[in-house]
Amino acid sequence: MATDTSTRTIRLDPPPPAPARMPPPAPGTGVSQRPAPVAPPPAAQPTPVRPAARPTAAPSSSAPQASQAPQAPERVGAPRRLLAGVLWGPVAIGAAMLLQMWASAQGGDQAVRPLRLLTVLLEGGGALAGGNSLLGIAVNTALGMVLGVLFALVAPRLRGPRAVLVGALVFAAGVFAVDLYALSPALSPVLELRDAPLLLASRLVFGAVLAIPFLAARRP
Protein backbone atom coordinates (compact mmCIF):
# COMPACT_ATOMS: atom_id res chain seq x y z
CA MET A 1 0.00 0.00 0.00
CA ALA A 2 1.53 3.21 -1.11
CA THR A 3 1.99 6.07 1.36
CA ASP A 4 1.71 9.82 0.30
CA THR A 5 4.74 11.42 1.85
CA SER A 6 4.38 14.85 0.20
CA THR A 7 4.55 17.74 2.56
CA ARG A 8 1.54 19.98 2.85
CA THR A 9 1.93 23.59 3.87
CA ILE A 10 -0.67 24.81 6.26
CA ARG A 11 -1.16 28.61 6.43
CA LEU A 12 -2.32 29.89 9.75
CA ASP A 13 -3.79 33.40 9.81
CA PRO A 14 -3.17 35.49 12.95
CA PRO A 15 -6.10 35.75 15.29
CA PRO A 16 -8.19 38.95 15.11
CA PRO A 17 -7.47 41.61 17.74
CA ALA A 18 -9.45 41.38 20.86
CA PRO A 19 -12.08 44.08 21.30
CA ALA A 20 -11.25 46.87 23.66
CA ARG A 21 -12.44 46.19 27.06
CA MET A 22 -14.87 48.67 28.44
CA PRO A 23 -14.32 49.96 31.94
CA PRO A 24 -16.61 48.47 34.46
CA PRO A 25 -19.71 50.49 35.21
CA ALA A 26 -19.74 52.80 38.15
CA PRO A 27 -21.24 51.29 41.19
CA GLY A 28 -24.96 51.95 41.40
CA THR A 29 -25.24 53.66 38.01
CA GLY A 30 -24.91 50.98 35.45
CA VAL A 31 -23.11 53.40 33.14
CA SER A 32 -19.64 52.66 32.06
CA GLN A 33 -17.08 55.30 32.91
CA ARG A 34 -15.64 56.31 29.59
CA PRO A 35 -12.89 58.91 29.57
CA ALA A 36 -14.06 62.32 28.33
CA PRO A 37 -12.81 63.13 24.89
CA VAL A 38 -9.94 65.59 24.91
CA ALA A 39 -10.58 68.64 22.74
CA PRO A 40 -7.81 69.45 20.32
CA PRO A 41 -5.79 72.56 21.15
CA PRO A 42 -7.07 75.72 19.41
CA ALA A 43 -5.24 76.77 16.37
CA ALA A 44 -2.83 79.63 16.92
CA GLN A 45 -4.28 82.96 15.83
CA PRO A 46 -2.08 85.02 13.51
CA THR A 47 -0.57 88.08 15.25
CA PRO A 48 -1.75 91.32 13.59
CA VAL A 49 1.06 93.28 12.08
CA ARG A 50 0.94 96.99 12.94
CA PRO A 51 1.88 99.41 10.18
CA ALA A 52 5.19 101.11 10.69
CA ALA A 53 4.99 104.66 12.05
CA ARG A 54 5.58 107.33 9.49
CA PRO A 55 8.65 109.44 10.13
CA THR A 56 7.81 112.90 11.48
CA ALA A 57 9.08 115.73 9.35
CA ALA A 58 11.66 117.90 11.05
CA PRO A 59 10.33 121.37 11.98
CA SER A 60 11.31 124.13 9.65
CA SER A 61 13.96 126.50 10.88
CA SER A 62 11.67 129.40 10.00
CA ALA A 63 8.94 128.22 12.42
CA PRO A 64 9.10 129.73 15.91
CA GLN A 65 10.67 127.36 18.41
CA ALA A 66 8.89 126.80 21.74
CA SER A 67 12.20 126.86 23.57
CA GLN A 68 12.93 130.37 22.46
CA ALA A 69 12.52 132.92 25.23
CA PRO A 70 9.62 135.38 24.63
CA GLN A 71 10.48 138.94 23.91
CA ALA A 72 10.59 141.18 26.92
CA PRO A 73 7.24 142.97 27.39
CA GLU A 74 9.01 146.19 28.23
CA ARG A 75 10.66 146.31 24.82
CA VAL A 76 7.45 145.41 23.04
CA GLY A 77 5.48 148.20 24.75
CA ALA A 78 8.14 150.90 24.36
CA PRO A 79 6.68 152.50 21.18
CA ARG A 80 3.21 152.49 22.72
CA ARG A 81 4.47 154.15 25.90
CA LEU A 82 6.28 156.83 23.91
CA LEU A 83 3.15 157.45 21.87
CA ALA A 84 1.12 157.76 25.08
CA GLY A 85 3.62 160.33 26.35
CA VAL A 86 3.44 162.34 23.13
CA LEU A 87 -0.37 162.36 23.13
CA TRP A 88 -1.11 162.71 26.82
CA GLY A 89 1.67 165.16 27.65
CA PRO A 90 -0.09 168.06 25.89
CA VAL A 91 -3.43 166.98 27.37
CA ALA A 92 -2.00 166.99 30.89
CA ILE A 93 -0.21 170.29 30.58
CA GLY A 94 -3.31 171.75 28.91
CA ALA A 95 -5.35 170.81 32.00
CA ALA A 96 -2.73 172.51 34.17
CA MET A 97 -2.87 175.62 31.95
CA LEU A 98 -6.65 175.78 32.23
CA LEU A 99 -6.31 175.87 36.00
CA GLN A 100 -3.79 178.72 35.77
CA MET A 101 -5.98 180.66 33.35
CA TRP A 102 -9.00 180.26 35.62
CA ALA A 103 -6.98 181.45 38.63
CA SER A 104 -5.64 184.41 36.61
CA ALA A 105 -9.16 185.47 35.65
CA GLN A 106 -10.34 185.11 39.25
CA GLY A 107 -7.46 187.32 40.40
CA GLY A 108 -8.40 190.23 38.12
CA ASP A 109 -5.83 189.58 35.35
CA GLN A 110 -6.50 188.45 31.84
CA ALA A 111 -7.14 184.75 31.42
CA VAL A 112 -4.52 184.57 28.67
CA ARG A 113 -1.77 185.93 30.89
CA PRO A 114 -0.32 182.44 31.66
CA LEU A 115 -0.07 181.79 27.91
CA ARG A 116 1.72 185.11 27.36
CA LEU A 117 4.16 184.21 30.12
CA LEU A 118 5.21 181.22 28.01
CA THR A 119 5.94 183.42 24.99
CA VAL A 120 8.55 185.27 27.09
CA LEU A 121 10.83 182.32 26.34
CA LEU A 122 10.77 183.33 22.66
CA GLU A 123 9.81 187.01 22.46
CA GLY A 124 11.30 188.46 25.62
CA GLY A 125 9.71 190.94 28.04
CA GLY A 126 7.50 192.60 25.44
CA ALA A 127 5.34 189.49 25.27
CA LEU A 128 3.75 190.28 28.63
CA ALA A 129 1.95 193.28 27.16
CA GLY A 130 0.86 191.95 23.78
CA GLY A 131 2.15 188.40 23.36
CA ASN A 132 0.55 186.04 20.89
CA SER A 133 -1.73 183.61 22.70
CA LEU A 134 -1.54 181.07 19.87
CA LEU A 135 2.24 181.05 20.21
CA GLY A 136 1.78 180.40 23.90
CA ILE A 137 -0.45 177.43 23.11
CA ALA A 138 2.19 176.08 20.73
CA VAL A 139 4.93 176.44 23.34
CA ASN A 140 2.73 174.83 25.98
CA THR A 141 1.95 171.90 23.67
CA ALA A 142 5.62 171.37 22.83
CA LEU A 143 6.57 171.39 26.51
CA GLY A 144 3.83 168.85 27.21
CA MET A 145 5.12 166.50 24.52
CA VAL A 146 8.69 166.70 25.84
CA LEU A 147 7.61 166.13 29.43
CA GLY A 148 5.29 163.29 28.40
CA VAL A 149 8.12 161.48 26.61
CA LEU A 150 10.43 161.93 29.59
CA PHE A 151 7.88 160.37 31.92
CA ALA A 152 7.26 157.54 29.43
CA LEU A 153 10.95 156.65 29.71
CA VAL A 154 10.69 156.53 33.51
CA ALA A 155 7.34 154.68 33.72
CA PRO A 156 8.71 151.13 33.08
CA ARG A 157 10.70 151.31 36.32
CA LEU A 158 7.51 151.91 38.32
CA ARG A 159 5.85 148.69 39.50
CA GLY A 160 2.16 148.79 40.29
CA PRO A 161 -0.55 151.41 39.80
CA ARG A 162 0.21 153.17 43.07
CA ALA A 163 3.87 153.51 42.15
CA VAL A 164 2.89 154.95 38.75
CA LEU A 165 0.60 157.55 40.30
CA VAL A 166 3.11 158.54 42.98
CA GLY A 167 5.89 158.64 40.40
CA ALA A 168 3.85 160.93 38.14
CA LEU A 169 3.16 163.32 41.03
CA VAL A 170 6.83 163.34 42.03
CA PHE A 171 7.76 163.99 38.39
CA ALA A 172 5.32 166.92 38.31
CA ALA A 173 6.79 168.28 41.54
CA GLY A 174 10.20 168.13 39.90
CA VAL A 175 8.86 170.17 36.98
CA PHE A 176 7.54 172.70 39.49
CA ALA A 177 10.95 172.90 41.14
CA VAL A 178 12.58 173.59 37.76
CA ASP A 179 10.02 176.32 37.07
CA LEU A 180 10.52 177.93 40.47
CA TYR A 181 14.27 177.66 40.98
CA ALA A 182 15.67 177.59 37.44
CA LEU A 183 13.26 179.17 34.96
CA SER A 184 12.07 182.05 37.10
CA PRO A 185 15.53 183.30 38.19
CA ALA A 186 16.81 182.99 34.62
CA LEU A 187 14.04 185.24 33.29
CA SER A 188 13.81 187.56 36.30
CA PRO A 189 12.73 190.35 36.55
CA VAL A 190 10.69 189.84 33.36
CA LEU A 191 9.03 186.69 34.62
CA GLU A 192 7.81 186.66 38.18
CA LEU A 193 6.01 183.70 39.69
CA ARG A 194 3.67 185.59 41.97
CA ASP A 195 1.66 182.56 43.13
CA ALA A 196 3.88 179.55 43.75
CA PRO A 197 1.12 177.47 45.46
CA LEU A 198 -1.08 177.86 42.38
CA LEU A 199 1.80 176.79 40.15
CA LEU A 200 2.41 173.74 42.35
CA ALA A 201 -1.27 172.81 42.22
CA SER A 202 -1.31 173.09 38.44
CA ARG A 203 1.79 170.89 38.16
CA LEU A 204 0.17 168.24 40.38
CA VAL A 205 -2.86 168.28 38.09
CA PHE A 206 -0.46 167.79 35.20
CA GLY A 207 1.09 164.74 36.91
CA ALA A 208 -2.28 163.17 37.77
CA VAL A 209 -3.59 163.48 34.22
CA LEU A 210 -0.31 162.26 32.73
CA ALA A 211 -0.51 159.06 34.80
CA ILE A 212 -3.88 158.01 33.31
CA PRO A 213 -2.65 156.12 30.19
CA PHE A 214 0.13 154.39 32.12
CA LEU A 215 -2.33 153.28 34.80
CA ALA A 216 -4.68 151.89 32.14
CA ALA A 217 -1.80 149.95 30.54
CA ARG A 218 -1.27 148.00 33.79
CA ARG A 219 -4.81 146.69 34.02
CA PRO A 220 -5.01 142.88 33.58
Side-chain angles (χ1 to χ4, degrees), residues 113-187:
R113 177 178 173 82
L115 292 174
R116 291 176 178 176
L117 290 176
L118 292 176
T119 61
V120 173
L121 300 174
L122 301 177
E123 298 181 352
L128 293 176
N132 190 350
S133 300
L134 295 179
L135 180 59
I137 294 176
V139 173
N140 194 53
T141 302
L143 289 176
M145 294 175 64
V146 172
L147 295 176
V149 170
L150 291 178
F151 182 74
L153 298 176
V154 178
R157 297 173 175 81
L158 303 175
R159 304 298 179 183
R162 182 177 301 178
V164 172
L165 180 58
V166 173
L169 295 177
V170 172
F171 178 77
V175 175
F176 163 76
V178 172
D179 290 341
L180 184 63
Y181 298 107
L183 186 60
S184 179
L187 298 178

Side-chain angles (χ1 to χ4, degrees), residues 35 38 49 73 82 116 121 126 139 183 192 196 205:
V38 179
V49 180
L82 294 178
R116 291 176 178 176
L121 300 174
V139 173
L183 186 60
E192 296 180 359
V205 170

Side-chain angles (χ1 to χ4, degrees), residues 4-171:
D4 187 2
T5 60
S6 61
T7 303
R8 292 182 180 180
T9 303
I10 301 175
R11 184 178 179 181
L12 300 177
D13 295 330
R21 298 181 60 183
M22 300 296 294
T29 59
V31 181
S32 60
Q33 297 178 351
R34 291 187 178 182
V38 179
Q45 297 294 332
T47 304
V49 180
R50 296 181 179 180
R54 296 182 179 180
T56 305
S60 176
S61 58
S62 60
Q65 300 295 334
S67 59
Q68 293 179 355
Q71 193 175 8
E74 297 297 339
R75 294 183 180 179
V76 173
R80 184 174 298 180
R81 287 195 309 272
L82 294 178
L83 180 61
V86 171
L87 296 179
W88 279 85
V91 174
I93 205 168
M97 179 57 66
L98 289 177
L99 177 59
Q100 292 184 20
M101 294 173 65
W102 174 82
S104 178
Q106 293 296 321
D109 292 334
Q110 295 181 353
V112 295
R113 177 178 173 82
L115 292 174
R116 291 176 178 176
L117 290 176
L118 292 176
T119 61
V120 173
L121 300 174
L122 301 177
E123 298 181 352
L128 293 176
N132 190 350
S133 300
L134 295 179
L135 180 59
I137 294 176
V139 173
N140 194 53
T141 302
L143 289 176
M145 294 175 64
V146 172
L147 295 176
V149 170
L150 291 178
F151 182 74
L153 298 176
V154 178
R157 297 173 175 81
L158 303 175
R159 304 298 179 183
R162 182 177 301 178
V164 172
L165 180 58
V166 173
L169 295 177
V170 172
F171 178 77

